[in-house]
Each structure stands twice: as C-alpha cells, then as structure tokens.
Amino acid sequence: MERRRLLQIAAASAGIGIFGVSGEPVRQLLELSLDHGFRSGEEWEISAADHLHALRTRPPAQVAADLIIDLLTVRRQMEVSSPAEVTELQRTLAVLSSIHANALTRLGDHGAAVRWWRTGRSAADASGDREVRLLVRSEEAGHGLYGQRAPETVMRLVDNAEQVAGGSSVDLLTTRAKALSLLGRHAEARETLDAVVELTEKGDRGDSLGFWKEDQIYFTQSWVHAGAGDEARAGTARENVLRLTGDYQYRTNIALHEALCTVVQGAIDEGVRRAATVMDPLPVAYRSNHIIETGRMLLRAIPLDQQDRPAVGEFREVLSTEVRPTG
C-alpha cells in the first residue's frame, strides 16, 4: 500500500520537477503516515500568506511549483471532509488558485493562468464567501493588464466584479485606472485615481487576506501619471511606493514607469537607456512577465517613425531575455 502511494505521489510530482533534492514525494508519504497531512482553517490561511510572501520575494517558477503541492493537498483533504469542511476548503482552493494564476501570469503562461482564474472563480462561488468571490475577480482583472487580455476586456471584468460587489472597491478602481491609461484615456484615468483616494478616505482598505496593500494606490498613480507624461506627480508616487514596499516587481516596474515618462515627454533615447539600466542587473529568473510587459508598454509609447532608433533596438533585445514556464 505504501509503495503504491509513493509511486502515485512521485508520478504527480515528477511533472512539476520536484522529485529531486527536496524529497517531496517521500515527505508526503511520511505526512500521510502521521496525520494525513490535513490542515486546519488557520493553517491554510498561514499557507496562503506564505505563498503571497513568496510571490513578492521569489522567482515565480519556484512559487508555482510550491503551490501545486498545496493544491494537491487541498484536493485530497476535500475528498474525505464533511460538507461544512468542504465549503471552507473551497474558500482555500479559491485563494490558492488565484495565487497560482498570478504566478503563471508572471511566467507568461497566459492560457494556463486564465484556466486557473476560472477554477478560482468556481471555487469562490461554491464557497459562498462574498469577499473571496470579489477577491478572485479583482485579481483576475488586475493581472489581465499584463499582456493577458485586452484593456477593454479587463474593463469588462471590472464591471462584472462590481456587480458581485454591489459597487466598486479600491482594488477594482486601481485596475480601471490602469486600463484607461493603456487605452490613452488619461483624463478618465486621473478621475478614477481621485475616486480611489475618496474610497480610501471612507475607510476602504481592500481585502482582509493580505492581497491588497496601500502601496498599490501609489503604484497605480505612478503608472497613470507616467503614461500621461506628468513627471512631478509620477515622481511623488514612486517615492511613496519605495517607502512602503519591498516587492521586487513593484520596485522594478516603478523604475520602468520613470523611463516611460521620459519617453512620453519626447526624450526617447534617454528613456530607453534608462529602462535598460533597470533591466540589465535583474537576474533572468526574476524577469517576470509583469516586468517585461511594463517594458513593452514603454516601447508602445514610442512613435512608429522612431521605432528604428538604435537605442530602441538595444532595449528590445534586453526585453527578449525573460523568465519562461518550466512545465
């Protein structure tokens, strides 16, 4: 029996490259022999917080591999749980699926990410937890901005999430502002930023699960003002992001926002060279799709008749080296 269970776990694990020094199949077998490896609701909340921390500090390929292990554990626990316990585990499944879709988006594996968003939405709806239903939809819309979906589709996702919420939220409004910026609707994007500030002043602080943080307001301001070429406001927003976050992805992207603002103002060579100095020292494992897409946003801001400039070509080469899905 144990040999058969080990082979089953090994087969599932081999596909995600974790059979090696981590000894994951053996660990799972040992865990099964001790207490089935099941976790309480609080333990699952801590696990989700750990994965969120990993997203902000580690290469996305590592995060995705670790998440698969916990997703398999949730499935196994659901198979032998009571109906009430399954409902709570569906909530856990929705949260972990959302984090996994985030990691896959960072890897540029958009098809898989979209399927995991769908799984996350289904699990959230089955749980009946309104906050988690909104969370998954908000996350799906926000990460769709990074080359996964057209800005118009993202706006539609925001509209749908607002129907679930019965109104808007700071998370949804920041996504709407970014989408409007990508569409060149800068005045509307700035108006949406005002609405974000108004909601926060009324006490809206995002979700209670740790996904949304205050730095996202300033990150959105950096994005919107840089896209409009407003260096003064974009600079203030960047300072606030640096003050609040240690997330390598945010810190890299706001530096790229600065370069984008320079390009929008007309200093193309200076802007792309500044962007290249941001990207060059970044290890390939950390060059997530979110960072690459921010660089591409800068390239799209360059007029067509200036796309052949040598400095632009050099930056395009820098962007060609990016993290790839591992399986």
Side-chain angles (χ1 to χ4, degrees):
M1 177 68 74
E2 288 189 350
R3 181 176 181 274
R4 183 162 62 252
R5 173 67 73 175
L6 176 59
L7 291 174
Q8 289 172 346
I9 295 174
S13 302
I16 53 175
I18 59 174
F19 187 78
V21 295
S22 72
E24 178 57 28
V26 176
R27 186 202 66 78
Q28 290 193 32
L29 182 61
L30 291 171
E31 193 172 62
L32 285 169
S33 69
L34 293 171
D35 61 359
H36 300 291
F38 296 161
R39 306 177 203 177
S40 67
E42 182 181 5
E43 288 173 323
W44 277 120
E45 288 180 3
I46 292 173
S47 295
D50 288 342
H51 289 303
L52 275 177
H53 175 72
L55 269 180
R56 293 161 179 156
T57 58
R58 298 174 196 156
Q62 178 184 341
V63 178
D66 289 339
L67 271 159
I68 284 293
I69 297 170
D70 275 357
L71 285 162
L72 287 169
T73 303
V74 173
R75 178 183 179 276
R76 191 170 73 242
Q77 187 167 340
M78 290 176 72
E79 290 176 344
V80 296
S81 296
S82 68
E85 291 169 335
V86 167
T87 298
E88 181 61 28
L89 288 168
Q90 286 168 334
R91 182 178 183 274
T92 297
L93 177 59
V95 171
L96 293 183
S97 295
S98 185
I99 300 174
H100 191 54
N102 183 332
L104 291 170
T105 302
R106 293 176 187 231
L107 288 168
D109 195 350
H110 296 303
V114 168
R115 291 189 290 273
W116 276 102
W117 292 126
R118 187 178 301 116
T119 296
R121 274 188 279 114
S122 296
D125 291 346
S127 77
D129 187 311
R130 181 175 174 274
E131 181 183 26
V132 173
R133 293 182 68 212
L134 177 58
L135 170 69
V136 174
R137 287 164 168 81
S138 297
E139 288 287 296
E140 179 179 12
H143 293 286
L145 291 166
Y146 292 92
Q148 194 166 98
R149 286 171 155 134
E152 295 88 349
T153 303
V154 170
M155 298 272 280
R156 184 174 178 180
L157 291 176
V158 170
D159 291 339
N160 292 341
E162 287 177 341
Q163 291 180 5
V164 171
S168 200
S169 67
V170 289
D171 198 6
L172 291 172
L173 284 175
T174 54
T175 296
R176 187 183 294 279
K178 294 175 203 172
L180 288 166
S181 177
L182 290 179
L183 291 168
R185 295 159 60 177
H186 301 297
E188 293 174 75
R190 286 191 293 267
E191 290 173 2
T192 305
L193 286 179
D194 293 338
V196 171
V197 173
E198 183 178 344
L199 267 186
T200 56
E201 289 176 347
K202 291 179 179 178
D204 190 338
R205 291 293 183 269
D207 66 276
S208 64
L209 302 170
F211 282 73
W212 189 89
K213 291 182 176 294
E214 183 185 358
D215 55 22
Q216 292 174 238
I217 296 174
Y218 302 113
F219 181 82
T220 304
Q221 291 175 344
S222 173
W223 178 317
V224 169
H225 293 315
D230 189 336
E231 173 55 35
R233 287 189 174 90
T236 299
R238 283 196 301 276
E239 291 173 3
N240 282 319
V241 173
L242 291 172
R243 174 175 58 85
L244 291 168
T245 189
D247 187 323
Y248 74 90
Q249 190 162 261
Y250 267 26
R251 298 178 75 89
T252 302
N253 275 355
I254 59 165
L256 291 175
H257 290 170
E258 182 179 14
L260 166 65
C261 193
T262 302
V263 167
V264 172
Q265 291 176 333
I268 296 172
D269 285 356
E270 180 185 350
V272 293
R273 285 171 181 154
R274 182 176 294 177
T277 64
V278 173
M279 294 291 300
D280 278 335
L282 193 65
V284 173
Y286 286 89
R287 294 189 184 187
S288 71
N289 172 71
H290 289 59
I291 292 171
I292 296 297
E293 278 298 322
T294 303
R296 289 172 180 157
M297 184 166 66
L298 181 151
L299 288 177
R300 290 192 294 270
I302 300 171
L304 289 176
D305 61 356
Q306 301 294 315
Q307 289 281 342
D308 292 334
R309 299 178 73 90
V312 175
E314 290 170 8
F315 181 59
R316 195 175 282 113
E317 284 293 317
V318 171
L319 286 182
S320 67
T321 304
E322 57 185 292
V323 62
R324 297 290 186 182
T326 57

